[in-house]
Amino acid sequence: MSNLTEVNFDGIVGPSHNYAGLSLGNIASANHKGSASHPRAAALQGLAKMRGNLERFGHQGFLLPLPRPNSALLEELGTGSDLPRPLLAAAWSASSMWTANAATVSPAPDTSDGRCHFTPANLVTMLHRGQEWRDTQAQLKLAFADTDHFAVHDAVPPTFGDEGAANHMRLCESHASEGVEVFVYGKTGGAFPARQHEQASRAVARLHGLAPDKCVFIEQNPDAIAAGAFHNDVVAVANESVIFAHEHAFADRQGAYNAMRAAFPALQVVEVPDSAVSLAEAIRTYLFNAQLVTRASGGMALIVPEECRKSASVWAYCEAMLATNGPIREVIPVDVKQSMANGGGPACLRLRVVCDPSAVDPRFLLTEAKADAIEACIAAHWPEQIDPADLGSDTLAKTIIAARQSLLETLDLQALG
Ligand code: SUG
């Protein structure tokens, strides 16, 4: 159990990154429907974020884009000129880049068998996301193949929507100590889908062998879902003993904090009042879709989207928060605009895994030299631009398939071909 540390596995943005407006309830996705996307810029922005974190923390992992266009899905749908565009676009989606939705992860100190457990998210609410989990699972089984340390489950059965780590927070004294796992679910009935079902969260907790008194199940605020917080990580993030959340994140605000405190008495709440940052502005800037990380020098840093610096109310809040000298000591903006335009901020792009890095297949761990090689591959092969009308083109399909193939070769991961 020694050497347990938090490693972030970011999704490398795939060469088919595009804006098809597929996610009902995701305001950025709807607003950018039909816009031209820039896959090369998107992937380079994601890589720059990874490089920054590699330098900051000494560890950084990645997961690879899934095969697109997904010919198996197209076959299942029946190909033909009358195939509706959104169904065609689903098979071209690069949505696996948001690895916060790849799986729920329970680190070894929390589980009954002392292994780190993964349950790939079934993502059943949306077609373009529901096609991900089997390929994601194959990748997790390769990266975390060491069964002395890791267990990779099947997704929980459909009907119970599961969107993975985006609706899961872990409270602990330090990453290597036993934690309390907080599962946040939504209830259906609002204008937008509630993507995380309570029974999916409870199934994951059972599968992972978590102690019932170390689990907390909390309902997301239906008003937050209605305002565009389609995942809890759009309105809250936790790290070690700190939770950073919007006042309207949870259905029963005080009840939620009480339940967390009952299981984890050392909880520190940094709550942003609606009067300082409105729910709409929090969702527009993705203040909470931040990486809340422990600095080597002490205190925590919040890695936020660049959009936060440009918002008067959000930036004023951040400056005021830093002046209080509370647990969060630094705010670091990063440019992930291409991902943001589809509703994916810095936190969506990463899956946190507390593990011993030496137990992970090193092909999934970033080094400076590997970042250079990935960058060269992206620069050479990722399309500069995709217009939604291009989806379905044979020429573009060939470019995308060849680009991914070249990345697999660069990383010696042809096994994922
Ligand atoms: O599932 N966007 C993703 C964004 C996921 C963000 N993840 C977290 N919050 N953890 C989604 O809505 C847009 C696809 C499109 O419109 O083409 C999309 O799937």
Side-chain angles (χ1 to χ4, degrees):
M1 286 247 180
S2 57
N3 299 323
L4 287 187
T5 186
E6 179 178 283
V7 185
N8 285 285
F9 288 79
D10 281 43
I12 296 177
V13 178
S16 69
H17 162 63
N18 70 85
Y19 300 125
L22 297 179
S23 281
L24 177 66
N26 170 339
I27 311 265
S29 154
N31 285 347
H32 291 90
K33 179 178 181 175
S35 306
S37 65
H38 295 93
R40 193 182 306 158
L44 293 175
Q45 286 166 3
L47 187 64
K49 169 166 105 71
M50 284 194 246
R51 278 190 195 269
N53 285 342
L54 176 64
E55 199 174 317
R56 254 170 234 123
F57 311 116
H59 300 293
Q60 176 67 48
F62 53 82
L63 295 176
L64 277 80
L66 304 183
R68 298 288 177 269
N70 182 350
S71 49
L73 178 64
L74 288 170
E75 250 165 60
E76 279 167 6
L77 289 167
T79 43
S81 53
D82 63 339
L83 182 66
R85 289 300 288 179
L87 300 192
L88 174 79
W92 288 66
S93 177
S95 54
S96 66
M97 71 172 87
W98 299 297
T99 51
N101 307 117
T104 306
V105 185
S106 295
D110 302 355
T111 66
S112 54
D113 67 2
R115 295 189 295 167
C116 175
H117 285 244
F118 296 79
T119 294
N122 64 24
L123 295 164
V124 289
T125 303
M126 281 161 195
L127 177 68
H128 71 290
R129 305 234 52 189
Q131 66 185 318
E132 291 175 29
W133 84 262
R134 289 232 177 247
D135 289 326
T136 298
Q137 183 193 45
Q139 205 166 157
L140 294 174
K141 282 192 166 170
L142 201 56
F144 305 101
D146 181 343
T147 50
D148 287 340
H149 289 85
F150 304 110
V152 178
H153 298 268
D154 284 345
V156 303
T159 296
F160 302 129
D162 180 18
E163 304 258 334
N167 298 307
H168 174 257
M169 301 182 285
R170 180 168 184 262
L171 305 170
C172 53
E173 299 285 350
S174 73
H175 295 305
S177 52
E178 186 183 17
V180 164
E181 301 199 11
V182 181
F183 294 84
V184 186
Y185 59 87
K187 281 193 182 153
T188 49
F192 295 143
R195 300 209 214 169
Q196 182 74 36
H197 195 290
E198 180 181 359
Q199 290 310 327
S201 300
R202 290 188 183 273
V204 170
R206 280 191 296 273
L207 289 165
H208 292 191
L210 304 181
D213 62 334
K214 300 287 181 197
C215 293
V216 181
F217 298 89
I218 289 174
E219 188 193 338
Q220 204 190 344
N221 188 348
D223 295 343
I225 299 177
F230 53 95
H231 290 136
N232 173 64
D233 70 2
V234 175
V235 282
V237 60
N239 179 53
E240 294 184 330
S241 57
V242 175
I243 176 164
F244 178 61
H246 191 271
E247 179 184 353
H248 295 319
F250 308 115
D252 170 8
R253 172 175 166 270
Q254 208 48 59
Y257 296 133
N258 289 347
M260 288 186 230
R261 235 181 227 114
F264 185 77
L267 181 71
Q268 287 176 273
V269 179
V270 180
E271 190 185 68
V272 181
D274 197 66
S275 57
V277 176
S278 68
L279 195 52
E281 190 64 353
I283 291 168
R284 193 186 67 77
T285 59
Y286 264 35
L287 169 62
F288 298 94
N289 199 263
Q291 290 184 255
L292 183 58
V293 291
T294 307
R295 300 187 306 175
S297 55
M300 294 186 190
L302 193 66
I303 301 173
V304 299
E306 188 62 52
E307 283 75 358
C308 292
R309 180 156 47 189
K310 300 206 177 107
S311 158
S313 66
V314 169
W315 204 242
Y317 174 82
C318 288
E319 289 186 327
M321 174 182 72
L322 294 178
T324 64
N325 228 13
I328 303 173
R329 299 285 163 80
E330 191 181 356
V331 178
I332 305 171
V334 290
D335 177 6
V336 287
K337 263 185 225 78
Q338 282 290 312
S339 167
M340 283 284 286
N342 246 342
C348 299
L349 286 162
R350 62 92 177 92
L351 183 67
R352 290 186 281 192
V353 182
V354 170
C355 62
D356 179 345
S358 68
V360 178
D361 185 319
R363 290 177 294 179
F364 291 88
L365 295 175
L366 197 67
T367 59
E368 280 298 334
K370 215 179 276 184
D372 292 344
I374 296 172
E375 189 167 327
C377 178
I378 292 167
H381 299 286
W382 262 232
E384 209 266 311
Q385 179 171 324
I386 295 181
D387 296 305
D390 300 338
L391 302 184
S393 133
D394 285 344
T395 320
L396 183 61
K398 283 197 186 97
T399 304
I400 288 167
I401 292 165
R404 179 174 178 274
Q405 199 51 41
S406 148
L407 182 66
L408 297 187
E409 282 159 23
T410 302
L411 298 169
D412 191 23
L413 280 165
Q414 294 90 329
L416 294 171

